[in-house]
Amino acid sequence: MSSPLTLPSEPAAQRSRSLLLVLGGALIVATYVFLVTVQPTEIAGGMGSTASLVSLVGFLGGGALLVGGILPMLTTSSLVVIPLGIALNIAIGQIAGSLGMQIYLDAIGTVLVAVLAGPAAGAATGALSNALWGLFNPFALPFAAGAALIGLLAGLAAKHGAFRRVYFAPVAGLVVGAIGGIVAAPVAVFMFGAAGTFGTNAIIAVFRSMGDKLLVAATKQGLLSDSLDKIVVFVVVALIVYALPQRAVRQFPFARTHRVLGERSGGRATTPAGADTAAR
């Protein structure tokens, strides 16, 4: 079993870590509020605008602060899975977007990290994924706050048992997706005129034809597409983590401590007599 990178921290160090987590979350939220308030449509042109640079710094900085806050608690396994999650998000999301799908599939890596390493690690993965993705796909950058929120909520859902049975996962995905859709809708409308893939544009057009205003139509589309997307994502992640060897899952302190997969991730301790007992 891989061990944490540092020894258990003292109260002062714990307060420092908590401060970094709070600052990271606050910076991500502040950047989201900036985007929704200022509505910088020039962000669609790429990294040349001031708004793009502010957003990039805000989301990258927030993600970095989150990583800094959780770093002392991360094992080698956790450090490996975060970059893997970022790569999965960008690669699969880019493919789904290119195919014009009605769902995005760009949060598989985020949810996977959240389930194994916890809410803060999931939030950092989501924010960093979209910030880095935004370097070559400007449409991804403004949604980094929503991606961080997905990671946070997925980690909290895992902590409270959403992945202890595979059939719990789609329910959690439905709830998380609905919240994510509501958060993403203003960004999509104010900065991109709700323009998205062929599939999502078609859904918005249907709601518009029924008399809905653009924001209302985009919100309904987000509730529909994001909920369906996260149901699929949560089920896929549940299947992935259940397919992993028990020994691999137990390398992650969060998964082991909170028994996110039930008995499979509960950890084992060996007694002097050699019998295995479930770790508390």
Side-chain angles (χ1 to χ4, degrees), residues 115-145:
V115 171
L116 294 175
T125 302
L128 293 172
S129 295
N130 279 58
L132 294 173
W133 194 4
L135 293 174
F136 58 90
N137 181 357
F139 287 92
L141 178 59
F143 296 98

Side-chain angles (χ1 to χ4, degrees), residues 181-197:
I182 292 172
V183 171
V187 175
V189 171
F190 296 150
M191 271 168 282
F192 304 122
T197 67

Side-chain angles (χ1 to χ4, degrees), residues 35-167:
L35 291 173
V36 174
T37 303
V38 178
Q39 303 175 21
T41 55
E42 69 273 14
I43 202 170
M47 288 294 109
S49 67
T50 301
S52 297
L53 294 176
V54 170
S55 302
L56 182 65
V57 171
F59 289 133
L60 277 179
L65 287 171
L66 289 177
V67 171
I70 63 174
L71 189 61
M73 299 179 288
L74 294 180
T75 62
T76 303
S77 301
S78 299
L79 286 177
V80 170
V81 80
I82 289 177
L84 174 62
I86 293 172
L88 283 173
N89 287 340
I90 296 174
I92 298 175
Q94 191 69 28
I95 292 171
S98 300
L99 295 176
M101 297 173 64
Q102 295 178 357
I103 57 177
Y104 321 108
L105 303 179
D106 58 356
I108 290 177
T110 296
V111 176
L112 178 62
V113 172
V115 171
L116 294 175
T125 302
L128 293 172
S129 295
N130 279 58
L132 294 173
W133 194 4
L135 293 174
F136 58 90
N137 181 357
F139 287 92
L141 178 59
F143 296 98
L149 178 62
I150 296 301
L152 174 68
L153 295 177
L156 292 175
K159 180 179 179 179
H160 293 287
F163 289 86
R164 289 176 187 157
R165 296 289 186 274
V166 173
Y167 49 80

